[in-house]
Amino acid sequence: AQTVTQSQPEMSVQEAETVTLSCTYDTSESDYYLFWYKQPPSRQMILVIRQEAYKQQNATENRFSVNFQKAAKSFSLKISDSQLGDAAMYFCAYATNFGNEKLTFGTGTRLTIIP
Amino acid sequence: DTAVSQTPKYLVTQMGNDKSIKCEQNLGHDTMYWYKQDSKKFLKIMFSYNNKELIINETVPNRFSPKSPDKAHLNLHINSLELGDSAVYFCASSQRGRGTQYFGPGTRLLVL
């Protein structure tokens, strides 16, 4: 069974600084997707970024980028120029690329932005 | 333009009651899901339907029964509600094979 581990329950960063959230996963499959979702206090689940396992290039979306290390099964999220609106719970998630495409989530990291 | 909508957003009810949550998506996706987020914020899959066919049924009590009248709708009916059913229930949708799932706003269920 696939598992996703987020070892940092809480992180904080000064506004305008850079922060990296960690995620590791375990799978025996070679083709899959990885995601970071953000859940602000409004509780809406918002997709931040996604990575396809077959792509070597790390995904980027504006201030958000990932460091995808397939061999190490590591998928960290870097947030640059942190803004107050980035304060939220961040969930790392895994999905297979075929069959039952359920999302398996990590336990989340609560990110606080210090003004 | 709401992509994935859920009703109601809040539900407060007594133990033993039966309640339903409705979900609709206008993204043209063929797959829909129910997830449960517990008090510790942990999210777990409950059910998934692809083109009205049940494809994922995790270990969920029989009191929970999903129904998909068409591929744009997925409802969740819960019988004999228990205190432990209190949680936030999220609906999501995706196009099978494309990976990304889009979530509804969640329904916060409180059982007293």
Side-chain angles (χ1 to χ4, degrees), chain A residues 33 35 37 39 42-45 47 50 89 91 95-97 99-107 110, chain B residues 9-10 33 35 37 41-43 45 55-56 58 88 90 96-101 103-106 108:
Chain A
Y33 299 99
F35 306 88
Y37 281 88
Q39 187 178 40
S42 67
R43 85 163 174 256
Q44 178 74 50
M45 292 290 289
L47 176 68
R50 92 175 210 165
M89 282 287 284
F91 293 96
T96 59
N97 194 18
N100 297 336
E101 294 171 8
K102 65 179 183 180
L103 285 170
T104 299
F105 285 91
T107 50
R110 182 175 300 281
Chain B
K9 286 198 170 61
Y10 297 94
Y33 311 80
Y35 289 87
Q37 186 174 41
K41 302 287 189 183
F42 186 64
L43 280 144
I45 184 76
I55 57 171
I56 296 175
E58 294 286 298
V88 179
F90 283 99
R96 200 170 191 184
R98 303 263 178 93
T100 303
Q101 293 184 23
F103 284 77
R108 182 178 292 280

Side-chain angles (χ1 to χ4, degrees), chain B residues 13-19 63 78-83 85 111-112:
Chain B
T13 188
Q14 299 289 328
M15 259 195 323
N17 284 350
D18 302 340
K19 290 293 177 187
R63 300 181 294 102
I78 316 170
N79 289 326
S80 303
L81 278 154
E82 300 177 357
L83 294 176
D85 297 332
V111 182
L112 302 174

Side-chain angles (χ1 to χ4, degrees), chain B residues 42-111:
Chain B
F42 186 64
L43 280 144
K44 189 171 180 189
I45 184 76
M46 299 174 70
F47 302 102
S48 174
Y49 273 76
N50 174 257
N51 283 320
K52 302 194 296 176
E53 180 187 349
L54 182 65
I55 57 171
I56 296 175
N57 185 353
E58 294 286 298
T59 309
V60 177
N62 290 337
R63 300 181 294 102
F64 290 78
S65 52
K67 277 206 178 117
S68 181
D70 56 60
K71 69 177 189 177
H73 295 85
L74 179 61
N75 303 323
L76 182 65
H77 187 76
I78 316 170
N79 289 326
S80 303
L81 278 154
E82 300 177 357
L83 294 176
D85 297 332
S86 295
V88 179
Y89 292 85
F90 283 99
C91 177
S93 74
S94 72
Q95 187 63 26
R96 200 170 191 184
R98 303 263 178 93
T100 303
Q101 293 184 23
Y102 296 90
F103 284 77
T107 295
R108 182 178 292 280
L109 171 65
L110 179 59
V111 182

Side-chain angles (χ1 to χ4, degrees), chain A residues 2-115:
Chain A
Q2 294 83 14
T3 58
V4 178
T5 302
Q6 292 180 250
S7 57
Q8 305 154 316
E10 294 185 355
M11 292 279 286
S12 60
V13 63
Q14 207 80 29
E15 196 176 358
E17 297 295 308
T18 296
V19 65
T20 298
L21 308 184
S22 301
C23 173
T24 59
Y25 59 96
D26 190 23
T27 183
S28 57
E29 296 167 357
S30 59
D31 199 10
Y32 48 86
Y33 299 99
L34 293 164
F35 306 88
W36 281 97
Y37 281 88
K38 166 185 175 181
Q39 187 178 40
S42 67
R43 85 163 174 256
Q44 178 74 50
M45 292 290 289
I46 302 165
L47 176 68
V48 175
I49 200 164
R50 92 175 210 165
Q51 175 82 42
E52 286 129 306
Y54 71 86
K55 289 187 178 177
Q56 291 188 341
Q57 187 171 7
N58 288 325
T60 62
E61 286 288 340
N62 301 314
R63 299 181 294 108
F64 299 87
S65 61
V66 298
N67 184 1
F68 173 48
Q69 302 288 329
K70 192 173 184 180
K73 296 180 181 172
S74 169
F75 183 61
S76 60
L77 174 70
K78 184 170 88 170
I79 306 174
S80 304
D81 184 25
S82 297
Q83 300 175 0
L84 294 177
D86 295 334
M89 282 287 284
Y90 285 82
F91 293 96
C92 179
Y94 166 101
T96 59
N97 194 18
F98 58 93
N100 297 336
E101 294 171 8
K102 65 179 183 180
L103 285 170
T104 299
F105 285 91
T107 50
T109 297
R110 182 175 300 281
L111 178 64
T112 301
I113 311 296
I114 303 166

